[in-house]
Amino acid sequence: MASVDPQLAVYVAVFATAAVVCAVSLRRVSRIDTPDTRRGFAALLATSGGWAAVQVGFLLAPGAELKEAFHVVGLVVGFSTVGAWLYFCSAYSGRTLHRDPRYRAAAVAVFAVVTLVKVTNPFHQAYFTTTFATTPFPHVVVHSQTPHWVVMGLSYSLAAVGYFMLLELFDRTSLDTRPLTALAALTALPVGFNVVGYATPWLVDMTYEPIGVAAFAVGVLYVFAERFQTIRLTGSVDDPVVFVDDEGHVKDHNRKAEELFPALEGDVTGAPLSAVLPRVAAAIDTDEAVLELDVAGERRYFLVAANPFTVGPRRFGEMVLFSDVTRSERHRRELERQNERLGQFAGIISHDLRNPLNVAAGHVELAREECASEHLDTVANAHERMEALIEDVLALARQGDTIGETESCDLRDLAETSWRNVETVDATLAVASDLRLDADPDRTVQLLENLFRNAIEHAGDDVTVTVGALDDDRGFYVEDDGPGIPAADRESVFEPGHTTTDHGTGFGLAIVAEIADAHGWRVAAVEREAGGARFEVTGVQAAIGAPQNA
């Protein structure tokens, strides 16, 4: 059995190790949580491992022709690592260049052209030529031509773009990025070996890049997995981020967090979060999600969210993210102030207006006992209208509150309950179809009451009101056989104060719209084929598992 040259064995062992390391590392790529970064890193490992394996074949293949064939395959696979590297760098740094169809199409076109030139080299010899050498062991010496150096320059230029993406990401975080910077530099270190092999007899003139990528993979997946994930998160997130361990001690943070919290400046690693940022710690512990801060002399609000930080199955602590919600929080607080003022207004109406109204109504009754006068009847009617206005204004004011807990309700039961609460005189209620829906029953009864009153006020005491489910259980409708609503008025009828009768308050349909909106429903006045008014309530959530339209 022929013995293997010791120097050749060393070269084969180095490249074989690189191939094996890349292949084994593929099993750990699943620990990278971001899909695009995971795919890019897997592609980088696969192409680099394949490239290293081809180099082993190049070294061990018998005969110059077979060695040249392995070299061509290595040129193609090696060039593909550039695409994988750029994909990984773009995804890891939070960019979307790897998803842009224009860049993808350009990459495929360039790869196809370069590959065609390489694989056809045996015919034109324009890319490289070879000679056979016997030292330090028998091997093929590749003499690269001008097209090779052009492609090489393009490859290293594109690789430099990837390095720029990584370094810019590292620069955006306050974390110690030196370990990953050193790992990234390892991928470029073999370029020095290439130069030494080309210019001196100390190394064989061949490609050494797969060795650097294998070292990068080992460092990322086996040594600095946590830091790799942390830097990606802190550098690619525009919001302030602070990392704490399971004991509540500060581990890392990005520059945005340092700008927001000057207390993070300096070395605070290992210090309790409660000591460095007590208000943040309190917000996490007490679920007070919104933190109020003075930033550059301006009052701003930040939503504090603490999420578990894991790498694969292992938990390393929590990531505390601060999202600027100043605009929405200001709006929410303004709504609270408006609702408070509305409640005060409702109190004034309920007490300061209703009490003297009751006194006036009582005196009218006393006056009626003493004498009969149509003027007193007019005053009494005015008092009744004022009472109705007060009731509707109070009801409208209460619509600013959110709805109560929803439950599965039966449309027929809600309609019949509402009908009993309304003075219907000779009017008739018909329920055309059944529907079970998720709703606040009390508020929905109030909605139906106002629709029924509207029908009786506008269509007369003998009106027939029909309630039923819409097709496909989209919601329900309430219609009557009265004169209907002119098309020009179908949107304005929901505006507060809009009425077409002398005894209407103009608030009933406004209350209907408010209750529907509080549920997330939509209500509209539509044309009824047989004439009359028809209101459709859509966007209704049907009760899960309940039988529909019967």
Side-chain angles (χ1 to χ4, degrees), residues 196-217:
V196 173
Y198 176 77
T200 73
W202 299 341
L203 293 174
V204 173
D205 185 10
M206 60 185 299
T207 299
Y208 294 91
E209 277 85 349
I211 300 172
V213 175
F216 179 66

Side-chain angles (χ1 to χ4, degrees), residues 15 46-56 74-75 77-79 81 207 209-210:
F15 282 101
T47 54
S48 299
W51 195 6
V54 170
Q55 293 298 88
V56 173
L75 290 174
V77 177
F79 191 58
T81 62
T207 299
E209 277 85 349

